[in-house]
Amino acid sequence: MYCCMLRSFHIKGNKLIQLTRASFSQNPQSWDTSLKLSSCTVYRCTHSPVSGSLWQPLTHRTQQPAASHRCMSSTARRRRLPSAFPVIDGAFQPSHRHVYEANLRNSLICQQKYLEHKEKVMKGGGENAIARHTQRNRKVLVRDRLRLLLDDEDYLELSPFAGLGLPYGDIPAAGCLTGIGKINGLWCMFCANDATVKGGTAYPITVKKQLRAQVVAMQNRLPFVYLVDSGGAFLPLQSEIFPDKNHGGRTFYNEAVMSAMKIPQVSVVCGSCTAGGAYVPTMSEESVIVHRIGTIFLGGPPLVKAATGEEVSPEDLGGARLHSEYAVSIVFLGKSTEALAGSWARSSGGAIRADGLSGSGRTNGLGGGVRADQGNMLEEDTPAERPLYSTDDLMGLACHNHSMDVRLIVSRLTDGSRFQEFKARYGTTLLTGFARIEGHQIGIVANNGELTYEASLKGSHFVQLCDQRDIPLIFLQNTAPEPAHTLSQTKAESNTNRLKAQGSMMSAVACASVPKITVVIGGCHGGDSYAMCGRAFDPNFLFLWPNARVSILAPGHSEAFVQTEEEITQINEMLEEESSAFFSTGRLWDDGVILPQDTRKVLSKCLKIIKQQEYQLSREKMRTPFLRM
Ligand code: COA
């Protein structure tokens, strides 16, 4: 078997950072784990959701031994000094025990639902489709393709439950996997069709997912790899896929714009690329086709037969050989397997300039436009303190009906449970302050009650401060379930002021040019949610905890808006169903549901991904798109 590669252009002017495993070994992970806390008493709840051993006696953590200092550079040693931020008290009050336990019961139910969704998604299009894909069509399953492409399985999958519970049925993973993984040490976005789901055809939700992946890639300037295996549009729903601005054509528009932004894009044609599916590799800067398996054509053999009566094989109509004969700059790789195609994609950085690098100095992989001179800063070289409290506790802090002080959550997310609170005594229903997650400095904005006038003013001030100092913002969103009512003159006045202050905060959030990540840890309701960087405010990433509720007002709060008992029941039932985190994520209103105990890991990954673009060249420049000849 052979692989042929269609390459027609070399990206110029880009520089590539190659992070070698050698550079990791100079920075062993043990440094992270050996990071020590200054001597302090730790108020630590030893509860685990599994063992349930809550309210154990307090423990004490001691100072680290100094032995590991011997193998560190002075720079690293300087970095390892504990943060100056104070440790916050994350201990539970015994009087809150019943709230914690109620939350925990709810979280365990939500976790079960999460695991059921995961299982459903892992089965793709089901047993028959998998057999057809692997045996009849001799293709590799989509998750195995990712294993061939990525350095490891430690990737951030986006919206894995998108497509579940839609009016037109369950579409596992929306028919395509998207996420961010490392290729040769560099974070890259991938979009991989799952042909076991109706031949990889594009449903409306598939299109939405692809477009979201492209937006994330643009916002975070991530090289993009498409693993294409798609029968094009899912025809019965063509009116929801074809005509509008954010329908199928937008994918190809984005490919051109991304190219102009100097975001490298490559395609691996692992199966059929019919009609709309054909434009993805065509618009990519480079493509490779797996011989005798990959095809690219606008209409397949059945269409040719219907139109002309001619019988033609897929290979003759648009196989690797045909494209190698008619396309420009063909390179045969010698053998053709998906493994080889994957390794081609990994090394397609041959087309990306490798010179001018200092530091690691080697470039044989994707990653154009990324500066090398500060190369090793891209990786986990900043050792971090762990939180003093177990992240498992977050299951009991994920609010169901009642919230606990959000400081308890913050103390389980930040390095060393440290947090430098900003304006602690003003606007106390919003917690703002500085912290670090895995060494990345961040500003935290977290709801701790209603978003009042004072809280909104404080929020605006803090967001602008972070913007001024280039500090990424993390929003922990848990907005109030019902809007403020106007019952008196005084109340009307205070509501007007609050509205104005919230408007200011919305402007500050919308215009802050720093990266923003939102995690909905409870409610996402009404106007408050905009000021807390909801989806419409374009955070780089937005995740939900499984207990999260997303609706204009929360279930049980519709009495003021509808009259009869029947209407109230109807609306509340609707809100109950539609506000669930799984309903939201099925429709791709977020980047996925994450378990509370995984939040620190996910945030840390996002911060690393975001940081990568700091080392890119010419971030602001818009140039002519790459033109495919
Ligand atoms: N719209 C709706 N359903 C489609 C479809 C399309 N464009 N293409 C394939 N399907 C469905 C098939 O009906 C089949 O459904 P089933 O599982 O319920 O029987 C399923 O997808 C798999 O198709 P099948 O042909 O059995 O699988 P395959 O892996 O051998 O081939 C394709 C997949 C995509 C290569 C092949 O189905 C094909 O060429 N389809 C037509 C593509 C096309 O002309 N697209 C134009 C869109 S504008």
Side-chain angles (χ1 to χ4, degrees), residues 102-282:
N103 287 344
L104 182 59
R105 277 195 296 278
N106 181 58
S107 283
L108 289 171
I109 295 168
C110 291
Q111 179 168 277
Q112 186 54 34
K113 199 159 181 194
Y114 173 95
L115 295 173
E116 284 165 15
H117 272 60
K118 194 167 174 184
E119 199 184 328
K120 208 183 255 185
V121 161
M122 294 303 278
K123 288 182 182 157
E127 275 174 28
N128 291 343
I130 290 176
R132 183 175 60 209
H133 184 87
T134 51
Q135 289 161 29
R136 192 185 78 188
N137 297 344
R138 295 176 295 122
K139 292 192 284 191
V140 175
L141 292 171
V142 66
R143 288 185 190 276
D144 294 329
R145 282 178 182 158
L146 290 178
R147 274 185 206 109
L148 296 173
L149 177 73
L150 303 173
D151 291 357
D152 51 44
E153 292 189 37
D154 187 28
Y155 57 83
L156 178 69
E157 187 170 345
L158 297 180
S159 301
F161 305 152
L164 294 185
L166 297 184
Y168 45 82
D170 275 342
I171 317 299
C176 74
L177 269 55
T178 61
I180 304 164
K182 277 194 216 151
I183 299 179
N184 295 316
L186 202 79
W187 293 106
C188 298
M189 175 62 79
F190 62 79
C191 176
N193 299 115
D194 183 354
T196 69
V197 181
K198 284 276 181 201
T201 51
Y203 288 79
I205 196 71
T206 319
V207 172
K208 194 171 178 188
K209 195 167 176 182
Q210 285 172 351
L211 293 181
R212 174 64 192 158
Q214 289 180 319
V215 167
V216 173
M218 281 190 258
Q219 216 171 5
N220 300 290
R221 301 192 64 90
L222 300 167
F224 206 122
V225 179
Y226 304 88
L227 300 182
V228 201
D229 190 354
S230 167
F234 180 74
L235 286 174
L237 295 175
Q238 67 82 27
S239 68
E240 294 173 52
I241 301 164
F242 173 67
D244 208 354
K245 177 181 165 183
N246 283 325
H247 283 177
R250 192 75 182 178
T251 316
F252 319 127
Y253 170 88
N254 283 345
E255 283 190 71
V257 171
M258 286 159 75
S259 182
M261 290 171 73
K262 302 187 81 179
I263 294 177
Q265 295 167 89
V266 299
S267 286
V268 181
V269 180
C270 318
S272 172
C273 293
T274 313
Y279 289 101
V280 173
T282 309

Side-chain angles (χ1 to χ4, degrees), residues 43 47 58 74 77-78 110 124 248 353 424 429 446 463 466 477-478 523 542 558-559 592:
Y43 299 91
H47 166 81
L58 305 179
S74 57
R77 205 162 27 237
R78 219 170 26 247
C110 291
R353 274 185 57 173
T429 52
V463 166
C466 289
Q477 186 180 129
N478 182 15
L542 185 148
S558 60
E559 287 77 359

